[in-house]
Amino acid sequence: MASLIASPSASRILVLGGTTEAGRLAAALAARREMAAILSLAGRTAEAAPSALPRRIGGFGGIEGLMRWLAAERITAVVDATHPFAARISVNAAAACAALGLPLARLTRPAWTPQPGDRWQEVADARAAALALGAAPRRVFLTVGRLTLDAFTVAPQHRYLVRTIDAPDPPPALPDLTLVTARPPFTAEAETALMREHAVEVLVTKNSGGAATAGKLAAARALGLPVVVIRRPEKPAADTFLTVEAVLAWLEAHRPPP
């Protein structure tokens, strides 16, 4: 397991990562000698992107496990830069930081919002998205991540085009499934071509936000396709920022006294 090595006067920062934003923050922190940081990844993908910071991979063992780790590493601040749909770790981080009296910030990306010409139906979760597809068979482009696919087994009548970064193991019990594994970014032109190739009739996506996967929304808009959008889960209160620079300023303001 990775451990921080720093002078006693340095800030000791845990970055909960797994996003493009976390990678940018890691690169910025690596250049700051007065801030010793470690990047924590859940290990959900087979190959993590390279990091400028030391990394730890895997869970902490719930709130109490995270508290023990934070105390053992003498962490002075935590930045939650996890995916907008990574609700559990955000809840655990908020509870652990509150119990230990540690400052907590969140680095996130703005949610997508419907644009002129969009045909959105917003739903609360993956099961609601599956039911929103209706009873009649449709050709569905499913971009909700491999851990959410089982929710769609309640709607086996559809023909699914599923895209994930890593192949689901085991695959979901969907009788008509075409799997594509690919890593973003995806352009609107490539997404349009993919949807045309597979005669897609409806897109299902989480509202992850960001530019890397927004091309599918532009493609659906251009093709006049409906989109079922899963709303983001609520996350605990925290100082929330949209840029690395703002988080760095927050960390500077929360540096422990010398």
Side-chain angles (χ1 to χ4, degrees), residues 8-170:
S9 61
S11 299
R12 300 172 68 84
I13 300 156
L14 172 64
V15 178
L16 299 168
T19 60
T20 302
E21 292 77 15
R24 292 172 183 156
L25 178 60
L29 285 171
R32 304 287 290 263
R33 293 186 177 182
E34 75 281 13
M35 296 181 183
I38 188 167
L39 177 65
S40 176
L41 302 173
R44 305 269 184 184
T45 56
E47 294 185 15
S51 171
L53 292 177
R55 296 184 302 188
R56 70 172 304 280
I57 296 180
F60 290 94
I63 296 170
E64 294 200 357
L66 177 55
M67 289 175 60
R68 287 192 296 270
W69 190 90
L70 292 170
E73 292 290 342
R74 295 182 287 115
I75 297 297
T76 59
V78 176
V79 179
D80 178 1
T82 58
H83 192 276
F85 282 80
R88 180 175 297 178
I89 185 58
S90 294
V91 169
N92 290 354
C97 288
L100 295 174
L102 293 178
L104 171 67
R106 182 169 296 123
L107 173 60
T108 191
R109 61 187 75 149
W112 293 319
T113 56
Q115 304 300 309
D118 282 337
R119 298 169 57 195
W120 281 23
Q121 179 181 355
E122 294 189 87
V123 297
D125 54 31
R127 179 179 173 82
L131 297 176
L133 294 173
R138 306 170 82 180
R139 296 180 180 91
V140 181
F141 185 19
L142 199 53
T143 63
V144 296
R146 61 188 174 89
L147 300 179
T148 314
L149 295 176
D150 283 344
F152 291 84
T153 57
V154 301
Q157 70 273 26
H158 304 296
R159 182 181 301 175
Y160 290 98
L161 171 65
V162 173
R163 184 173 64 204
T164 57
I165 293 176
D166 297 315
D169 185 18

